[in-house]
Amino acid sequence: MKKPWQGRFSKDTARQALLFTASLPFDQRLAFCDIRGSIAHAEMLAACQIITSEEKAALVSGLEQIREEIEEDSFPFSLELEDIHMNIEHRLVEIIGPIGGKLHTGRSRNDQVALDMHLYLKEKIDSIDRMLAELQKVLINLAEVNLDVIMPGYTHLQRAQPVLFSHHLLAYFWMLKRDRDRLAGVRERTDIMPLGAGALAGTGFPVDAQLVAEKLHFTALYANSMDAVSDRDFIIEFISFASLLMMHLSRLCEELIIWSTKEFGFIEIDDAYTTGSSMMPQKKNPDVAELIRAKTGRVYGNLLTLLTVMKGLPLAYNKDMQEDKEGFFDTVDTLETVLAILPEMLATLSIDKQVLTASVDDDYLCATDLADYLVRKGLPFREAHHIVGKMIGDSHQEKIRLKDMPPEKRAKYHAALAGDIGQLLSPQRVVEARNSHGGTATMAVKDQLEKARLLLQR
């Protein structure tokens, strides 16, 4: 099959070279973006009187027929034509004759491919942002229905202070908020139109790139044609965003995995999102959460791959840049798969309030408030910290709870501790005392929930 660029060559491409360089197996997904861009390009060529209105009509009609063939799965894809762009152009000539060859006037595959990637990513950013908003809604709903549940907060995976379960969940809401902010920035830098750059130097035809940008709803044009065809920053930024997002989701899934163990027992993941063992009948494995945690690594790998591909490339286009697609598409697929299943899994969690309540019945969790009590009695915090630390060390050695320690023994540490300290060691009191901005008190968490709801309404 004759290739569009074959005029200069006296030999056909070696079969192994064709298989090695062809991108059709993975760039087929750009087909509809390619057709959109080509229709806008044809309409611009006619508006600039580079082709006639009749030629434009034929080109648009042929492209729309190709779109229908692809939708109906009857399009004759050919690996011989290397990529989706050449497949569409070849089929267009088959349908409408030599006029189909006029579609490539004033453009190169370099700016054509770049345009398709910008169009595709803009669409995916918008859909992924909507999926992130849905995940945030699930977190808000879980937080609202469990507003009365207290759990241990952790540092170093050691029990630290009591917090509302809702407060813990909302930490992930705000992580996702930052992720969506980053994604909005990626969209802004993806919303730049490269068509008109040609192979690297622009085009000698009197094209109107602004008209194409308006037709395709781009808000800006590249200022430099060499930058336009060699820029992959927007893809790298997207995968960087995706890496941060997956890191956040991996942390969430790690906690779900830990919390669902027998050792913790805070939650139970619904049967629909777990699997069993082929040998051990009792097993209930958190496979979905584990796979989300694992898929984080492949997204990191995609980021490193593209950074490495781009790091030494001279301007402008190089075939190396064909390697931008597979990792990028894999990242998109990974995010869409994860963001489809994670909200469902979260929405069906069972929270064991009894276990969580029992887990905070540990007066060491309230030790900071005991030290704060001594501070209010006039002690410097460091001295109060030391006194309570010594008291805890002794109670641990003697295997006795602080609240059960005899008053006369507590008085040895400080006279102020001789009275009833039971109220100071109440998890509910400790939680409600933290009503500072962003704190874990019920009113502070309700304020977070209100702000979160308002953000989602924008």
Side-chain angles (χ1 to χ4, degrees), residues 384-396 402 405 413:
H385 185 288
H386 179 80
I387 289 170
V388 174
K390 181 71 171 69
M391 186 177 172
I392 287 172
D394 291 346
S395 74
H396 179 71
L402 294 178
M405 189 179 285
Y413 300 99

Side-chain angles (χ1 to χ4, degrees), residues 106-263:
R107 75 175 182 183
S108 162
R109 262 195 301 181
N110 293 354
D111 59 347
Q112 181 183 0
V113 170
L115 173 66
D116 290 358
M117 295 292 276
H118 279 269
L119 286 171
Y120 180 84
L121 183 52
K122 279 175 65 178
E123 290 177 359
K124 290 303 180 180
I125 285 173
D126 291 344
S127 65
I128 287 168
D129 186 63
R130 287 191 293 271
M131 297 177 88
L132 284 170
E134 287 303 313
L135 178 55
Q136 286 181 301
K137 286 179 186 175
V138 171
L139 288 169
I140 288 174
N141 292 338
L142 262 180
E144 284 183 335
V145 299
N146 291 287
L147 196 54
D148 61 332
V149 179
I150 301 176
M151 67 174 290
Y154 294 83
T155 64
H156 308 277
L157 206 56
Q158 302 293 318
R159 291 181 178 181
Q161 291 178 297
V163 298
L164 290 184
F165 182 69
S166 301
H167 187 59
H168 195 123
L169 289 175
L170 287 174
Y172 288 102
F173 176 93
W174 299 111
M175 290 182 208
L176 294 175
K177 194 267 183 187
R178 293 195 298 274
D179 289 326
R180 292 183 67 194
D181 289 346
R182 275 185 282 271
L183 186 57
V186 178
R187 194 189 194 286
E188 180 182 345
R189 287 173 289 280
T190 302
D191 195 19
I192 309 174
M193 215 278 295
L195 203 66
L200 77 160
T203 175
F205 289 94
V207 298
D208 185 347
Q210 185 60 49
L211 178 60
V212 179
E214 290 170 4
K215 288 180 177 294
L216 296 173
H217 307 293
F218 282 96
T219 58
L221 302 174
Y222 277 90
N224 182 289
S225 61
M226 296 180 75
D227 185 36
V229 296
S230 64
D231 174 29
R232 294 299 184 269
D233 292 359
F234 63 106
I235 299 175
I236 293 170
E237 264 198 279
F238 173 77
I239 305 177
S240 178
F241 143 80
S243 296
L244 276 167
L245 169 62
M246 288 300 295
M247 179 265 287
H248 292 150
L249 301 185
S250 181
R251 293 180 73 182
L252 172 58
C253 286
E254 171 73 4
E255 297 205 299
L256 297 179
I257 292 163
I258 291 171
W259 291 348
S260 66
T261 61
K262 188 71 173 176
E263 287 73 14

Side-chain angles (χ1 to χ4, degrees), residues 217-436:
H217 307 293
F218 282 96
T219 58
L221 302 174
Y222 277 90
N224 182 289
S225 61
M226 296 180 75
D227 185 36
V229 296
S230 64
D231 174 29
R232 294 299 184 269
D233 292 359
F234 63 106
I235 299 175
I236 293 170
E237 264 198 279
F238 173 77
I239 305 177
S240 178
F241 143 80
S243 296
L244 276 167
L245 169 62
M246 288 300 295
M247 179 265 287
H248 292 150
L249 301 185
S250 181
R251 293 180 73 182
L252 172 58
C253 286
E254 171 73 4
E255 297 205 299
L256 297 179
I257 292 163
I258 291 171
W259 291 348
S260 66
T261 61
K262 188 71 173 176
E263 287 73 14
F264 276 71
F266 292 174
I267 65 168
E268 183 174 1
I269 300 173
D270 192 84
D271 285 1
Y273 303 97
T274 56
T275 65
S277 164
S278 61
M279 175 181 275
M280 298 167 282
Q282 84 281 9
K283 292 296 296 297
K284 183 176 180 180
N285 301 323
D287 282 12
V288 170
E290 289 174 340
L291 272 176
I292 292 172
R293 185 176 61 183
K295 286 178 184 295
T296 303
R298 68 190 293 158
V299 175
Y300 291 177
N302 293 336
L303 176 60
L304 184 58
T305 295
L306 188 50
L307 284 168
T308 306
V309 166
M310 296 298 296
K311 76 174 181 62
L313 297 187
L315 294 177
Y317 181 80
N318 299 269
K319 190 66 169 178
D320 311 51
M321 292 165 69
Q322 181 172 293
E323 288 295 304
D324 66 352
K325 293 176 184 62
E326 288 179 277
F328 165 58
F329 294 151
D330 179 73
T331 298
V332 169
D333 291 345
T334 299
L335 291 194
E336 289 184 333
T337 302
V338 167
L339 292 173
I341 197 168
L342 181 55
E344 297 174 356
M345 182 172 69
L346 287 173
T348 55
L349 286 180
S350 298
I351 315 299
D352 195 324
K353 296 184 180 182
Q354 186 174 353
V355 170
L356 283 163
T357 299
S359 71
V360 294
D361 185 24
D362 171 2
D363 48 26
Y364 291 170
L365 282 172
C366 306
T368 301
D369 284 63
L370 203 56
D372 289 347
Y373 169 73
L374 292 177
V375 169
R376 293 187 179 95
K377 295 294 183 180
L379 272 68
F381 180 78
R382 287 302 174 201
E383 184 180 343
H385 185 288
H386 179 80
I387 289 170
V388 174
K390 181 71 171 69
M391 186 177 172
I392 287 172
D394 291 346
S395 74
H396 179 71
Q397 286 290 108
E398 297 168 17
K399 294 182 170 49
I400 184 172
R401 291 158 62 95
L402 294 178
K403 65 179 67 174
D404 296 332
M405 189 179 285
E408 60 275 14
K409 184 172 179 59
R410 294 200 302 267
K412 292 179 181 178
Y413 300 99
H414 193 279
L417 297 174
D420 183 9
I421 62 170
Q423 187 62 24
L424 295 172
L425 302 177
S426 161
Q428 290 80 6
R429 180 197 166 279
V430 170
V431 165
E432 296 306 334
R434 278 150 178 78
N435 202 27
S436 56

